[in-house]
Amino acid sequence: MQHTVLSGIQPTGKLHLGRYFGAIQNWVELQSKYDCIYGIVNYHAMTMPYQIKNLIPATWDLTFDLIACGLKPENIFIQSLIPEHTELFWIFNTMTGYGELKKMTQFKDKSLLVSEKGKDAFISSGLYTYPVLQAADILIYRAHYVPVGKDQEQHLELTRNVAQRFNHQVGKAYFHLPDPLFTEIPKVMSTADPTRKMSASLGAKHHIDLFATPDQIIRQIKSAVTDAGENQGGSMSPGVENLFGLLKAAGQEAEYEDLMEQYKRGDLRYGPLKEVVANALVQMTEPIRERKAEILGDKKRVKDQIKASSSDIRKRAQNTIAEVKELVGLLNVKF
Ligand code: TRP
């Protein structure tokens, strides 16, 4: 049997090249090797201040975007359509140490972000227990692997601890401990400040929207920061390195090698480099833009597909929850 891979993504903000190259592209490839399940985690999106009226549109938009990128609809579920996640979350809450959660750096970072907003900042306990829900997302499908970035390593470690504690408590190795799946992932930096990771929250100049028009992509690459000061030769500036990184990420290995040679000889001008990078990105995103347009022309069908896939995936979650309730001594009746 194929091993199960699980990952989740929050319906917050648009997909930009950083998120695409950093996660989604890899998720697409994993589908040919593993039994993959990808969740649009809208319960998680409620842990930071959000606009109620935007959440459903954002959930569908992200779903459409992911399918346009190449995720198979049958591998995608929407978290709120599978209430067993929150049911397992409760059970796991009773098996997670208060002190364990206090150590989570994401909670510290995010609560700081909220409290900087001013005196009526509200930090919910949902933000605090967020990693427990994530553990439920992963373990409810008995996942073997979780493709994660560095920022999620701590949450995966917590998931392993919860699984281990559960197994110990019920006296049975029910959950196997999921492993992180690290793959070589290009690091995409901001186009305005290439010392920082590309992120939507930094502002419009910093990230390139995956669904930007070719014109927008070209303009943004043209204005990307290259050498902050004068080029000293020797070491490459972060901005130029980022352009090279984007070129490689876009799959243009040969161009990359070629231009790198030129750079090393000292006769690479940034204008032509930017042109090549912009063209590579436009070309790479072309089929994604086309698929997105098709999907938008047939939204109802795609929504129905995702409701059906969520219902299929839910059956797996229901199996687990029934077994878990029995194992922990909770009365359960099939109505
Ligand atoms: N916390 C993850 C993030 O912000 C999202 C997430 C929720 C997730 N549940 C998950 C990731 C389960 C992997 C597995 O990126």
Side-chain angles (χ1 to χ4, degrees):
M1 210 197 64
Q2 266 186 333
H3 282 169
T4 300
V5 162
L6 181 126
S7 204
I9 182 166
Q10 294 195 46
T12 47
K14 287 187 181 171
L15 280 190
H16 53 71
L17 290 180
R19 269 172 122 189
Y20 178 74
F21 288 131
I24 312 303
Q25 196 183 38
N26 184 35
W27 291 10
V28 173
E29 278 160 26
L30 291 171
Q31 294 179 122
S32 58
K33 279 193 243 132
Y34 297 100
D35 159 41
C36 290
I37 308 178
Y38 299 119
I40 316 265
V41 293
N42 49 353
Y43 282 135
H44 279 106
M46 299 171 73
T47 59
M48 288 293 269
Y50 76 103
Q51 298 276 331
I52 292 177
K53 67 172 183 353
N54 291 347
L55 189 52
I56 290 178
T59 303
W60 284 124
D61 280 347
L62 180 60
T63 309
F64 299 152
D65 288 357
L66 293 175
I67 298 172
C69 289
L71 289 196
K72 297 181 188 156
E74 63 266 30
N75 291 343
I76 301 176
F77 72 86
I78 292 173
Q79 195 185 29
S80 66
L81 298 181
I82 307 186
E84 286 75 17
H85 283 245
T86 46
E87 201 174 353
L88 186 59
F89 162 69
W90 177 257
I91 295 168
F92 283 171
N93 261 317
T94 70
M95 300 177 183
T96 307
Y98 175 76
E100 227 172 348
L101 288 178
K102 246 163 82 174
K103 286 193 300 209
M104 296 291 126
T105 54
Q106 186 177 288
F107 173 72
K108 291 184 203 167
D109 295 346
K110 286 193 176 177
S111 52
L112 195 69
L113 214 68
V114 175
S115 60
E116 278 167 356
K117 292 249 151 72
K119 57 174 172 16
D120 37 50
F122 178 74
I123 297 163
S124 76
S125 55
L127 185 61
Y128 188 67
T129 54
Y130 175 117
V132 187
L133 180 57
Q134 184 166 348
D137 293 341
I138 297 168
L139 295 173
I140 206 158
Y141 303 110
R142 329 278 286 274
H144 300 86
Y145 297 113
V146 183
V148 284
K150 278 260 168 259
D151 63 323
Q152 295 297 316
E153 250 181 306
Q154 212 184 13
H155 289 168
L156 190 62
E157 203 45 49
L158 180 98
T159 303
R160 293 167 59 91
N161 289 343
V162 170
Q164 206 157 25
R165 202 166 292 126
F166 180 98
N167 290 348
H168 181 76
Q169 212 148 313
V170 304
K172 183 178 171 187
Y174 181 73
F175 290 116
H176 31 233
L177 311 190
D179 283 308
L181 199 60
F182 294 117
T183 25
E184 174 105 37
I185 275 168
K187 210 163 165 213
V188 179
M189 311 305 281
S190 151
T191 38
D193 176 359
T195 61
R196 302 165 79 176
K197 227 173 88 174
M198 184 178 282
S199 137
S201 56
L202 292 175
K205 283 219 175 88
H206 292 264
H207 66 277
I208 301 178
D209 188 351
L210 183 62
F211 293 94
T213 63
D215 268 0
Q216 286 168 331
I217 296 175
I218 291 165
R219 242 183 297 130
Q220 189 139 3
I221 290 293
K222 251 188 201 156
S223 66
V225 170
T226 45
D227 288 341
E230 72 273 30
N231 189 355
Q232 309 281 338
S235 74
M236 195 182 265
S237 73
V240 177
E241 202 178 327
N242 195 34
L243 288 173
F244 270 106
L246 285 168
L247 186 58
K248 201 173 195 174
Q252 301 290 343
E253 287 277 341
E255 287 270 33
Y256 174 93
E257 297 298 339
D258 211 39
L259 292 171
M260 193 57 99
E261 274 305 306
Q262 282 187 38
Y263 176 85
K264 283 180 186 154
R265 284 200 307 267
D267 49 34
L268 176 67
R269 286 182 308 121
Y270 297 146
L273 170 66
K274 285 180 167 179
E275 212 166 290
V276 173
V277 173
N279 285 339
L281 292 173
V282 168
Q283 199 187 325
M284 184 217 81
T285 48
E286 178 86 45
I288 303 178
R289 270 191 304 278
E290 280 170 9
R291 272 197 300 269
K292 176 80 183 272
E294 277 167 33
I295 293 167
L296 291 182
D298 205 359
K299 281 196 217 172
K300 163 118 177 45
R301 191 180 60 87
V302 177
K303 285 184 179 180
D304 286 345
Q305 250 178 339
I306 294 302
K307 287 176 197 164
S309 64
S310 299
S311 158
D312 285 342
I313 292 171
R314 183 178 183 194
K315 295 193 182 88
R316 299 171 66 163
Q318 282 171 322
N319 267 334
T320 304
I321 210 73
E323 288 172 354
V324 163
K325 283 171 95 169
E326 189 177 322
L327 284 167
V328 299
L330 286 167
L331 188 65
N332 199 21
V333 178
K334 256 201 161 151
F335 293 107

